[in-house]
PDB file of all heavy atoms in Angstrom:
ATOM      1  N   ALA T 161     -15.081 -14.429  11.821  1.00 97.00           N
ATOM      2  CA  ALA T 161     -14.647 -15.320  12.909  1.00 97.00           C
ATOM      3  C   ALA T 161     -15.856 -15.847  13.680  1.00 97.00           C
ATOM      4  O   ALA T 161     -15.965 -17.051  13.937  1.00 97.00           O
ATOM      5  CB  ALA T 161     -13.689 -14.578  13.831  1.00 97.00           C
ATOM      6  N   SER T 162     -16.788 -14.955  14.030  1.00 97.00           N
ATOM      7  CA  SER T 162     -17.986 -15.383  14.768  1.00 97.00           C
ATOM      8  C   SER T 162     -18.758 -16.413  13.967  1.00 97.00           C
ATOM      9  O   SER T 162     -19.181 -17.452  14.488  1.00 97.00           O
ATOM     10  CB  SER T 162     -18.920 -14.198  15.026  1.00 97.00           C
ATOM     11  OG  SER T 162     -18.321 -13.288  15.879  1.00 97.00           O
ATOM     12  N   TYR T 163     -18.940 -16.119  12.698  1.00 95.00           N
ATOM     13  CA  TYR T 163     -19.714 -17.018  11.831  1.00 95.00           C
ATOM     14  C   TYR T 163     -19.066 -18.402  11.757  1.00 95.00           C
ATOM     15  O   TYR T 163     -19.743 -19.426  11.826  1.00 95.00           O
ATOM     16  CB  TYR T 163     -19.842 -16.400  10.440  1.00 95.00           C
ATOM     17  CG  TYR T 163     -20.597 -17.265   9.474  1.00 95.00           C
ATOM     18  CD1 TYR T 163     -21.983 -17.387   9.571  1.00 95.00           C
ATOM     19  CD2 TYR T 163     -19.937 -17.988   8.495  1.00 95.00           C
ATOM     20  CE1 TYR T 163     -22.692 -18.193   8.705  1.00 95.00           C
ATOM     21  CE2 TYR T 163     -20.630 -18.807   7.616  1.00 95.00           C
ATOM     22  CZ  TYR T 163     -22.011 -18.905   7.724  1.00 95.00           C
ATOM     23  OH  TYR T 163     -22.702 -19.719   6.871  1.00 95.00           O
ATOM     24  N   LEU T 164     -17.732 -18.418  11.637  1.00 97.00           N
ATOM     25  CA  LEU T 164     -17.019 -19.689  11.465  1.00 97.00           C
ATOM     26  C   LEU T 164     -17.126 -20.595  12.687  1.00 97.00           C
ATOM     27  O   LEU T 164     -16.982 -21.812  12.570  1.00 97.00           O
ATOM     28  CB  LEU T 164     -15.551 -19.417  11.120  1.00 97.00           C
ATOM     29  CG  LEU T 164     -15.326 -18.933   9.683  1.00 97.00           C
ATOM     30  CD1 LEU T 164     -13.938 -18.336   9.510  1.00 97.00           C
ATOM     31  CD2 LEU T 164     -15.534 -20.077   8.692  1.00 97.00           C
ATOM     32  N   THR T 165     -17.383 -20.011  13.872  1.00 97.00           N
ATOM     33  CA  THR T 165     -17.488 -20.854  15.074  1.00 97.00           C
ATOM     34  C   THR T 165     -18.708 -21.779  15.002  1.00 97.00           C
ATOM     35  O   THR T 165     -18.824 -22.718  15.763  1.00 97.00           O
ATOM     36  CB  THR T 165     -17.540 -20.019  16.375  1.00 97.00           C
ATOM     37  OG1 THR T 165     -18.649 -19.129  16.302  1.00 97.00           O
ATOM     38  CG2 THR T 165     -16.263 -19.246  16.604  1.00 97.00           C
ATOM     39  N   ARG T 166     -19.625 -21.495  14.068  1.00 95.00           N
ATOM     40  CA  ARG T 166     -20.777 -22.397  13.890  1.00 95.00           C
ATOM     41  C   ARG T 166     -20.325 -23.768  13.378  1.00 95.00           C
ATOM     42  O   ARG T 166     -20.970 -24.765  13.627  1.00 95.00           O
ATOM     43  CB  ARG T 166     -21.732 -21.839  12.833  1.00 95.00           C
ATOM     44  CG  ARG T 166     -22.402 -20.572  13.217  1.00 95.00           C
ATOM     45  CD  ARG T 166     -23.407 -20.244  12.144  1.00 95.00           C
ATOM     46  NE  ARG T 166     -23.881 -18.883  12.292  1.00 95.00           N
ATOM     47  CZ  ARG T 166     -24.892 -18.397  11.604  1.00 95.00           C
ATOM     48  NH1 ARG T 166     -25.507 -19.151  10.727  1.00 95.00           N
ATOM     49  NH2 ARG T 166     -25.271 -17.150  11.786  1.00 95.00           N
ATOM     50  N   PHE T 167     -19.246 -23.761  12.582  1.00 92.00           N
ATOM     51  CA  PHE T 167     -18.796 -25.014  11.954  1.00 92.00           C
ATOM     52  C   PHE T 167     -17.489 -25.528  12.551  1.00 92.00           C
ATOM     53  O   PHE T 167     -17.273 -26.718  12.644  1.00 92.00           O
ATOM     54  CB  PHE T 167     -18.505 -24.811  10.457  1.00 92.00           C
ATOM     55  CG  PHE T 167     -19.573 -24.089   9.713  1.00 92.00           C
ATOM     56  CD1 PHE T 167     -19.458 -22.736   9.445  1.00 92.00           C
ATOM     57  CD2 PHE T 167     -20.696 -24.773   9.272  1.00 92.00           C
ATOM     58  CE1 PHE T 167     -20.444 -22.080   8.747  1.00 92.00           C
ATOM     59  CE2 PHE T 167     -21.689 -24.119   8.575  1.00 92.00           C
ATOM     60  CZ  PHE T 167     -21.562 -22.765   8.305  1.00 92.00           C
ATOM     61  N   CYS T 168     -16.596 -24.578  12.866  1.00 97.00           N
ATOM     62  CA  CYS T 168     -15.215 -24.966  13.142  1.00 97.00           C
ATOM     63  C   CYS T 168     -14.989 -25.217  14.621  1.00 97.00           C
ATOM     64  O   CYS T 168     -15.665 -24.637  15.472  1.00 97.00           O
ATOM     65  CB  CYS T 168     -14.272 -23.875  12.644  1.00 97.00           C
ATOM     66  SG  CYS T 168     -14.555 -23.509  10.906  1.00 97.00           S
ATOM     67  N   SER T 169     -13.986 -26.040  14.928  1.00 98.00           N
ATOM     68  CA  SER T 169     -13.717 -26.356  16.331  1.00 98.00           C
ATOM     69  C   SER T 169     -13.005 -25.190  17.012  1.00 98.00           C
ATOM     70  O   SER T 169     -13.188 -24.925  18.192  1.00 98.00           O
ATOM     71  CB  SER T 169     -12.870 -27.619  16.424  1.00 98.00           C
ATOM     72  OG  SER T 169     -11.719 -27.484  15.630  1.00 98.00           O
ATOM     73  N   LYS T 170     -12.191 -24.425  16.225  1.00 98.00           N
ATOM     74  CA  LYS T 170     -11.452 -23.310  16.797  1.00 98.00           C
ATOM     75  C   LYS T 170     -11.148 -22.287  15.690  1.00 98.00           C
ATOM     76  O   LYS T 170     -10.903 -22.676  14.538  1.00 98.00           O
ATOM     77  CB  LYS T 170     -10.141 -23.836  17.404  1.00 98.00           C
ATOM     78  CG  LYS T 170      -9.364 -22.788  18.151  1.00 98.00           C
ATOM     79  CD  LYS T 170      -8.129 -23.408  18.802  1.00 98.00           C
ATOM     80  CE  LYS T 170      -7.203 -22.312  19.282  1.00 98.00           C
ATOM     81  NZ  LYS T 170      -5.901 -22.829  19.671  1.00 98.00           N
ATOM     82  N   VAL T 171     -11.173 -21.008  16.071  1.00 98.00           N
ATOM     83  CA  VAL T 171     -10.861 -19.951  15.103  1.00 98.00           C
ATOM     84  C   VAL T 171      -9.802 -19.038  15.727  1.00 98.00           C
ATOM     85  O   VAL T 171      -9.982 -18.553  16.845  1.00 98.00           O
ATOM     86  CB  VAL T 171     -12.118 -19.108  14.760  1.00 98.00           C
ATOM     87  CG1 VAL T 171     -11.769 -17.995  13.784  1.00 98.00           C
ATOM     88  CG2 VAL T 171     -13.235 -19.975  14.202  1.00 98.00           C
ATOM     89  N   THR T 172      -8.701 -18.841  15.014  1.00 98.00           N
ATOM     90  CA  THR T 172      -7.674 -17.921  15.497  1.00 98.00           C
ATOM     91  C   THR T 172      -7.635 -16.697  14.592  1.00 98.00           C
ATOM     92  O   THR T 172      -7.528 -16.837  13.367  1.00 98.00           O
ATOM     93  CB  THR T 172      -6.286 -18.609  15.501  1.00 98.00           C
ATOM     94  OG1 THR T 172      -6.351 -19.745  16.360  1.00 98.00           O
ATOM     95  CG2 THR T 172      -5.196 -17.652  15.995  1.00 98.00           C
ATOM     96  N   ILE T 173      -7.742 -15.528  15.192  1.00 98.00           N
ATOM     97  CA  ILE T 173      -7.682 -14.288  14.410  1.00 98.00           C
ATOM     98  C   ILE T 173      -6.233 -13.814  14.361  1.00 98.00           C
ATOM     99  O   ILE T 173      -5.606 -13.590  15.404  1.00 98.00           O
ATOM    100  CB  ILE T 173      -8.584 -13.197  15.040  1.00 98.00           C
ATOM    101  CG1 ILE T 173     -10.051 -13.641  14.972  1.00 98.00           C
ATOM    102  CG2 ILE T 173      -8.376 -11.850  14.337  1.00 98.00           C
ATOM    103  CD1 ILE T 173     -11.022 -12.710  15.663  1.00 98.00           C
ATOM    104  N   ILE T 174      -5.720 -13.685  13.135  1.00 98.00           N
ATOM    105  CA  ILE T 174      -4.348 -13.184  12.950  1.00 98.00           C
ATOM    106  C   ILE T 174      -4.464 -11.707  12.609  1.00 98.00           C
ATOM    107  O   ILE T 174      -5.092 -11.338  11.613  1.00 98.00           O
ATOM    108  CB  ILE T 174      -3.639 -13.923  11.789  1.00 98.00           C
ATOM    109  CG1 ILE T 174      -3.598 -15.431  12.056  1.00 98.00           C
ATOM    110  CG2 ILE T 174      -2.242 -13.359  11.558  1.00 98.00           C
ATOM    111  CD1 ILE T 174      -3.028 -16.244  10.891  1.00 98.00           C
ATOM    112  N   HIS T 175      -3.878 -10.851  13.439  1.00 98.00           N
ATOM    113  CA  HIS T 175      -3.977  -9.411  13.180  1.00 98.00           C
ATOM    114  C   HIS T 175      -2.594  -8.778  13.306  1.00 98.00           C
ATOM    115  O   HIS T 175      -1.833  -9.111  14.199  1.00 98.00           O
ATOM    116  CB  HIS T 175      -4.970  -8.780  14.167  1.00 98.00           C
ATOM    117  CG  HIS T 175      -5.131  -7.309  13.997  1.00 98.00           C
ATOM    118  ND1 HIS T 175      -5.115  -6.693  12.749  1.00 98.00           N
ATOM    119  CD2 HIS T 175      -5.314  -6.309  14.906  1.00 98.00           C
ATOM    120  CE1 HIS T 175      -5.274  -5.390  12.913  1.00 98.00           C
ATOM    121  NE2 HIS T 175      -5.393  -5.134  14.209  1.00 98.00           N
ATOM    122  N   ARG T 176      -2.308  -7.843  12.388  1.00 98.00           N
ATOM    123  CA  ARG T 176      -0.949  -7.297  12.314  1.00 98.00           C
ATOM    124  C   ARG T 176      -0.601  -6.316  13.438  1.00 98.00           C
ATOM    125  O   ARG T 176       0.556  -5.938  13.588  1.00 98.00           O
ATOM    126  CB  ARG T 176      -0.729  -6.645  10.959  1.00 98.00           C
ATOM    127  CG  ARG T 176      -1.611  -5.443  10.663  1.00 98.00           C
ATOM    128  CD  ARG T 176      -1.337  -4.934   9.266  1.00 98.00           C
ATOM    129  NE  ARG T 176      -2.227  -3.834   8.905  1.00 98.00           N
ATOM    130  CZ  ARG T 176      -2.265  -3.296   7.705  1.00 98.00           C
ATOM    131  NH1 ARG T 176      -1.488  -3.750   6.751  1.00 98.00           N
ATOM    132  NH2 ARG T 176      -3.090  -2.293   7.450  1.00 98.00           N
ATOM    133  N   ARG T 177      -1.609  -5.868  14.193  1.00 98.00           N
ATOM    134  CA  ARG T 177      -1.336  -4.956  15.323  1.00 98.00           C
ATOM    135  C   ARG T 177      -1.899  -5.585  16.590  1.00 98.00           C
ATOM    136  O   ARG T 177      -2.443  -6.679  16.556  1.00 98.00           O
ATOM    137  CB  ARG T 177      -2.041  -3.624  15.094  1.00 98.00           C
ATOM    138  CG  ARG T 177      -1.524  -2.869  13.901  1.00 98.00           C
ATOM    139  CD  ARG T 177      -2.088  -1.471  13.872  1.00 98.00           C
ATOM    140  NE  ARG T 177      -3.531  -1.446  13.658  1.00 98.00           N
ATOM    141  CZ  ARG T 177      -4.336  -0.522  14.129  1.00 98.00           C
ATOM    142  NH1 ARG T 177      -3.857   0.454  14.896  1.00 98.00           N
ATOM    143  NH2 ARG T 177      -5.639  -0.524  13.881  1.00 98.00           N
ATOM    144  N   ASN T 178      -1.842  -4.822  17.711  1.00 96.00           N
ATOM    145  CA  ASN T 178      -2.531  -5.331  18.904  1.00 96.00           C
ATOM    146  C   ASN T 178      -3.701  -4.427  19.277  1.00 96.00           C
ATOM    147  O   ASN T 178      -4.238  -4.510  20.365  1.00 96.00           O
ATOM    148  CB  ASN T 178      -1.575  -5.554  20.078  1.00 96.00           C
ATOM    149  CG  ASN T 178      -0.843  -4.289  20.448  1.00 96.00           C
ATOM    150  OD1 ASN T 178      -1.146  -3.230  19.901  1.00 96.00           O
ATOM    151  ND2 ASN T 178       0.113  -4.376  21.350  1.00 96.00           N
ATOM    152  N   GLU T 179      -4.072  -3.548  18.332  1.00 97.00           N
ATOM    153  CA  GLU T 179      -5.279  -2.742  18.505  1.00 97.00           C
ATOM    154  C   GLU T 179      -6.204  -3.027  17.342  1.00 97.00           C
ATOM    155  O   GLU T 179      -5.749  -3.412  16.268  1.00 97.00           O
ATOM    156  CB  GLU T 179      -4.929  -1.259  18.528  1.00 97.00           C
ATOM    157  CG  GLU T 179      -4.430  -0.808  19.894  1.00 97.00           C
ATOM    158  CD  GLU T 179      -3.774   0.539  19.825  1.00 97.00           C
ATOM    159  OE1 GLU T 179      -4.292   1.393  19.092  1.00 97.00           O
ATOM    160  OE2 GLU T 179      -2.729   0.701  20.462  1.00 97.00           O
ATOM    161  N   PHE T 180      -7.500  -2.789  17.580  1.00 98.00           N
ATOM    162  CA  PHE T 180      -8.484  -3.196  16.566  1.00 98.00           C
ATOM    163  C   PHE T 180      -9.249  -2.022  15.981  1.00 98.00           C
ATOM    164  O   PHE T 180      -9.571  -1.065  16.686  1.00 98.00           O
ATOM    165  CB  PHE T 180      -9.476  -4.182  17.193  1.00 98.00           C
ATOM    166  CG  PHE T 180      -8.828  -5.465  17.585  1.00 98.00           C
ATOM    167  CD1 PHE T 180      -8.262  -5.620  18.855  1.00 98.00           C
ATOM    168  CD2 PHE T 180      -8.768  -6.512  16.691  1.00 98.00           C
ATOM    169  CE1 PHE T 180      -7.656  -6.798  19.216  1.00 98.00           C
ATOM    170  CE2 PHE T 180      -8.158  -7.698  17.046  1.00 98.00           C
ATOM    171  CZ  PHE T 180      -7.596  -7.847  18.308  1.00 98.00           C
ATOM    172  N   ARG T 181      -9.549  -2.163  14.707  1.00 96.00           N
ATOM    173  CA  ARG T 181     -10.370  -1.195  14.005  1.00 96.00           C
ATOM    174  C   ARG T 181     -11.853  -1.559  14.167  1.00 96.00           C
ATOM    175  O   ARG T 181     -12.734  -0.750  13.916  1.00 96.00           O
ATOM    176  CB  ARG T 181     -10.017  -1.300  12.512  1.00 96.00           C
ATOM    177  CG  ARG T 181      -9.941  -0.018  11.773  1.00 96.00           C
ATOM    178  CD  ARG T 181      -9.400  -0.312  10.381  1.00 96.00           C
ATOM    179  NE  ARG T 181      -7.964  -0.189  10.330  1.00 96.00           N
ATOM    180  CZ  ARG T 181      -7.340   0.965  10.188  1.00 96.00           C
ATOM    181  NH1 ARG T 181      -8.018   2.090  10.066  1.00 96.00           N
ATOM    182  NH2 ARG T 181      -6.029   1.031  10.143  1.00 96.00           N
ATOM    183  N   ALA T 182     -12.106  -2.775  14.593  1.00 97.00           N
ATOM    184  CA  ALA T 182     -13.484  -3.288  14.696  1.00 97.00           C
ATOM    185  C   ALA T 182     -14.294  -2.484  15.707  1.00 97.00           C
ATOM    186  O   ALA T 182     -13.746  -1.926  16.660  1.00 97.00           O
ATOM    187  CB  ALA T 182     -13.444  -4.750  15.126  1.00 97.00           C
ATOM    188  N   SER T 183     -15.616  -2.452  15.512  1.00 95.00           N
ATOM    189  CA  SER T 183     -16.487  -1.758  16.462  1.00 95.00           C
ATOM    190  C   SER T 183     -16.476  -2.538  17.781  1.00 95.00           C
ATOM    191  O   SER T 183     -16.280  -3.757  17.786  1.00 95.00           O
ATOM    192  CB  SER T 183     -17.897  -1.652  15.898  1.00 95.00           C
ATOM    193  OG  SER T 183     -18.388  -2.932  15.595  1.00 95.00           O
ATOM    194  N   LYS T 184     -16.685  -1.800  18.866  1.00 96.00           N
ATOM    195  CA  LYS T 184     -16.588  -2.379  20.208  1.00 96.00           C
ATOM    196  C   LYS T 184     -17.521  -3.587  20.363  1.00 96.00           C
ATOM    197  O   LYS T 184     -17.110  -4.630  20.869  1.00 96.00           O
ATOM    198  CB  LYS T 184     -16.962  -1.299  21.236  1.00 96.00           C
ATOM    199  CG  LYS T 184     -16.208  -1.412  22.505  1.00 96.00           C
ATOM    200  CD  LYS T 184     -16.258  -0.116  23.283  1.00 96.00           C
ATOM    201  CE  LYS T 184     -15.579  -0.286  24.600  1.00 96.00           C
ATOM    202  NZ  LYS T 184     -16.397  -0.549  25.739  1.00 96.00           N
ATOM    203  N   ILE T 185     -18.741  -3.437  19.893  1.00 95.00           N
ATOM    204  CA  ILE T 185     -19.735  -4.499  20.089  1.00 95.00           C
ATOM    205  C   ILE T 185     -19.313  -5.803  19.399  1.00 95.00           C
ATOM    206  O   ILE T 185     -19.443  -6.884  19.964  1.00 95.00           O
ATOM    207  CB  ILE T 185     -21.147  -4.033  19.632  1.00 95.00           C
ATOM    208  CG1 ILE T 185     -22.195  -5.089  19.944  1.00 95.00           C
ATOM    209  CG2 ILE T 185     -21.211  -3.655  18.185  1.00 95.00           C
ATOM    210  CD1 ILE T 185     -23.617  -4.601  19.805  1.00 95.00           C
ATOM    211  N   MET T 186     -18.745  -5.672  18.202  1.00 95.00           N
ATOM    212  CA  MET T 186     -18.360  -6.888  17.477  1.00 95.00           C
ATOM    213  C   MET T 186     -17.094  -7.500  18.054  1.00 95.00           C
ATOM    214  O   MET T 186     -16.947  -8.722  18.111  1.00 95.00           O
ATOM    215  CB  MET T 186     -18.225  -6.589  15.985  1.00 95.00           C
ATOM    216  CG  MET T 186     -19.584  -6.278  15.402  1.00 95.00           C
ATOM    217  SD  MET T 186     -19.635  -6.028  13.644  1.00 95.00           S
ATOM    218  CE  MET T 186     -19.585  -7.653  12.998  1.00 95.00           C
ATOM    219  N   LEU T 187     -16.169  -6.643  18.502  1.00 97.00           N
ATOM    220  CA  LEU T 187     -14.940  -7.132  19.123  1.00 97.00           C
ATOM    221  C   LEU T 187     -15.273  -7.872  20.419  1.00 97.00           C
ATOM    222  O   LEU T 187     -14.766  -8.974  20.681  1.00 97.00           O
ATOM    223  CB  LEU T 187     -13.986  -5.963  19.386  1.00 97.00           C
ATOM    224  CG  LEU T 187     -12.664  -6.307  20.050  1.00 97.00           C
ATOM    225  CD1 LEU T 187     -11.842  -7.271  19.196  1.00 97.00           C
ATOM    226  CD2 LEU T 187     -11.837  -5.052  20.337  1.00 97.00           C
TER     227      LEU T 187
END
Side-chain angles (χ1 to χ4, degrees):
S162 294
Y163 179 74
L164 286 165
T165 58
R166 294 186 193 189
F167 312 99
C168 305
S169 53
K170 186 176 167 191
V171 179
T172 300
I173 295 175
I174 302 175
H175 179 37
R176 64 183 176 186
R177 295 190 294 150
N178 58 7
E179 279 166 40
F180 294 89
R181 220 172 268 278
S183 57
K184 214 161 176 262
I185 185 168
M186 292 185 78
L187 179 61

